[in-house]
Amino acid sequence: MATTEICPMKPEPTLSFTQGLIVGQISVVLLIAAFIKFFIFGDAPSPEITATIRAAERRSRTLSHRQSLLTLRSATPAPTDRQQHPHPHPHQHQQPGTLNKKKSSILRSPPTLTIGSILNKTYYNVDSHQPESLDWFNVLIAQTIAQFRSDAQQDDAILTSLTKALNGTSRPDFLDEIKVTELTLGEDFPIFSNCRIIPVDEDGLSLNTGPGGEKRFDANSMRAKQEGSRLQARMDVDLSDMITLALETKILLNYPKRLTAVLPVALAVSVVRFSGTLSISFIPSNQSQSTPTMMTFSFLDDYRLDFSVRSLVGSRSRLQDVPKIAQLVESRLHRWFDERAVEPRFQEIALPSLWPRKRNTRGGDDPLDGSGSSGSGSAGKGKGREIAKELKLEEARRELKAETAAGMRHELSPPENLRYRRARGRGDGSEGSFSMPGSLPDMALNLPT
């Protein structure tokens, strides 16, 4: 019986090549449209929701840092008094950089001050003292900011610095030269209020918390007397203004070859409002390590910073105020601020010597001579040039006045050969007078003898 081989029939495609191509193109277009609609032109969340989410993230980061510090302290044994203040052996080897210097026997060293003794001597009770308004401080800060804004209008120093910083080595390759098109320094001033003093330890943790969580500060506790504890001033700051920086650049597409496409971008960022809590403290100098007195400041994690971001993308058909660009810019600015001045991070500034010095003295009726002119370097360059110009003018006036006075004396004084000449006719009653040869009648010179 002959067997017949039957080939299996291939399934017929339900869609032709043209139909598949059309379906693929439609799906790509739908994906791009969805991306543009929900990712680029999607409605941004409200500022209140965004601020709440960011505040919660910062708070969780701060609590995590404090928890790690407490865990590290509990794992490290507390040093005893002998370990904190060991008695050096007379023949103990010393490092070359820490040689003992002979202390003066005339200048008496004051007793060791702690934060508790400072609070007692200044009559400040951290548990019951009312917060201060800082009205006088607001006036001083307003004058300083007003002078800064006035100086910025005189020259383009701030504009040059910004342009140099924006076009530095950190600028990516896909960005063209960045130009500053607008810079507004604002018109209002920050308002500081509700200032209070908080004792903290070397890690910035508050010391006025009792065992049960109540607010109570014990000046005689070991934590208050330990090394590194200090007093911290905390104050509320609020600023509602319009500080604007507008930039203009181009996004360069360098693939597959250089300058394949160019996309102009204009961006304007404005600081609308800032409110938060500023903490300031002083770290004493350390003579053994040759470190000066430092002032540290930072902001607590409960701050709020609102921006207004305007954008313009494209050259012919332009996209204006893209919400996603505003979100990216705000996120980047908040991260930049958090990484520099929000606890647990802080800024540290070295303070100069506060002793009065002659070279820093200004004002009064005494002109700046010798020693005074040597200290003029502490003043501004423009002020120094004005002072030097005034000194030169004053010196020229003095020289001119001296020359004029000398010329008048020379004209009024008689010749040297007649000043001590013996007078004629002393015996006839006309003492001290005589007639010059060739002079007019009844003309006589009365010269002292």
Side-chain angles (χ1 to χ4, degrees), residues 196-197 213 235 242 261 297 374:
R196 60 269 188 200
I197 300 298
M235 61 196 76
M242 186 66 70
F297 71 92
S374 62

Side-chain angles (χ1 to χ4, degrees), residues 344-394:
R345 296 176 176 86
F346 56 88
Q347 291 292 315
E348 198 174 60
I349 302 175
L351 297 180
S353 176
L354 299 180
W355 282 102
R357 296 177 182 270
K358 179 64 177 177
R359 64 184 182 183
N360 297 331
T361 304
R362 296 292 183 273
D365 298 331
D366 298 336
L368 291 177
D369 54 3
S371 60
S373 60
S374 62
S376 62
S378 60
K381 294 182 179 180
K383 188 67 176 178
R385 287 193 294 266
E386 293 178 2
I387 293 175
K389 186 182 297 184
E390 291 178 0
L391 290 177
K392 292 181 180 180
L393 291 176
E394 185 66 23

Side-chain angles (χ1 to χ4, degrees), residues 21-35:
L21 179 62
I22 294 175
V23 171
Q25 294 294 331
I26 292 176
S27 61
V28 170
V29 171
L30 291 177
L31 287 176
I32 295 177
F35 175 81

Side-chain angles (χ1 to χ4, degrees), residues 1 31 35 44 46 61 119 127 153 232 277 314 316 324 350 356 369 382 406 417:
M1 180 177 180
L31 287 176
F35 175 81
S46 63
R61 184 172 62 248
L119 293 175
D127 298 326
Q153 298 293 334
Q232 186 180 88
T277 304
R316 294 183 179 179
K324 195 60 181 179
D369 54 3
N417 56 353

Side-chain angles (χ1 to χ4, degrees), residues 112-190:
T112 304
L113 286 178
T114 61
I115 58 177
S117 61
I118 293 177
L119 293 175
N120 292 332
K121 292 182 178 181
T122 55
Y123 307 102
Y124 193 99
N125 191 341
V126 297
D127 298 326
S128 61
H129 199 281
Q130 295 296 326
E132 300 179 9
S133 61
L134 294 180
D135 294 337
W136 61 272
F137 186 69
N138 293 328
V139 175
L140 294 180
I141 292 296
Q143 293 180 7
T144 304
I145 296 177
Q147 184 62 40
F148 169 75
R149 292 170 179 171
S150 177
D151 295 341
Q153 298 293 334
Q154 302 300 326
D155 52 10
D156 296 336
I158 184 172
L159 183 60
T160 304
S161 302
L162 278 175
T163 305
K164 184 177 180 180
L166 294 173
N167 293 280
T169 56
S170 59
R171 188 188 66 180
D173 297 334
F174 59 85
L175 285 182
D176 197 8
E177 181 183 1
I178 302 176
K179 299 178 182 180
V180 179
T181 58
E182 181 184 354
L183 180 61
T184 304
L185 299 180
E187 298 178 355
D188 294 331
F189 304 102

Side-chain angles (χ1 to χ4, degrees), residues 74-289:
S74 60
T76 305
T80 60
D81 294 340
R82 182 176 297 273
Q83 292 176 348
Q84 290 180 355
H85 305 285
H87 299 283
H89 194 271
H91 300 288
Q92 186 178 3
H93 178 69
Q94 297 178 353
Q95 297 180 359
T98 59
L99 296 177
N100 289 333
K101 296 182 179 179
K102 184 178 180 181
K103 295 184 178 180
S104 174
S105 59
I106 300 177
L107 183 61
R108 298 182 180 180
S109 59
T112 304
L113 286 178
T114 61
I115 58 177
S117 61
I118 293 177
L119 293 175
N120 292 332
K121 292 182 178 181
T122 55
Y123 307 102
Y124 193 99
N125 191 341
V126 297
D127 298 326
S128 61
H129 199 281
Q130 295 296 326
E132 300 179 9
S133 61
L134 294 180
D135 294 337
W136 61 272
F137 186 69
N138 293 328
V139 175
L140 294 180
I141 292 296
Q143 293 180 7
T144 304
I145 296 177
Q147 184 62 40
F148 169 75
R149 292 170 179 171
S150 177
D151 295 341
Q153 298 293 334
Q154 302 300 326
D155 52 10
D156 296 336
I158 184 172
L159 183 60
T160 304
S161 302
L162 278 175
T163 305
K164 184 177 180 180
L166 294 173
N167 293 280
T169 56
S170 59
R171 188 188 66 180
D173 297 334
F174 59 85
L175 285 182
D176 197 8
E177 181 183 1
I178 302 176
K179 299 178 182 180
V180 179
T181 58
E182 181 184 354
L183 180 61
T184 304
L185 299 180
E187 298 178 355
D188 294 331
F189 304 102
I191 302 300
F192 296 87
S193 61
N194 196 23
C195 180
R196 60 269 188 200
I197 300 298
I198 306 295
V200 296
D201 57 10
E202 59 182 353
D203 295 323
L205 301 181
S206 178
L207 297 178
N208 62 339
T209 304
E214 69 277 4
K215 295 292 182 179
R216 181 173 57 84
F217 174 68
D218 186 7
N220 298 322
S221 62
M222 292 300 299
R223 294 180 64 191
K225 294 182 179 180
Q226 68 182 359
E227 185 179 0
S229 58
R230 60 186 185 274
L231 297 173
Q232 186 180 88
R234 292 183 181 179
M235 61 196 76
D236 298 337
V237 55
D238 185 57
L239 173 64
S240 297
D241 204 348
M242 186 66 70
I243 304 175
T244 305
L245 175 63
L247 307 174
E248 188 179 82
T249 185
K250 296 179 182 178
I251 298 179
L252 308 177
L253 181 60
N254 297 324
Y255 183 83
K257 62 180 181 178
R258 183 174 176 81
L259 298 179
T260 302
V262 176
L263 181 63
V265 176
L267 190 67
V269 182
S270 301
V271 179
V272 179
R273 183 189 174 190
F274 176 81
S275 61
T277 304
L278 174 65
S279 61
I280 301 177
S281 60
F282 293 93
I283 300 178
S285 60
N286 192 339
Q287 299 296 335
S288 60
Q289 299 180 0

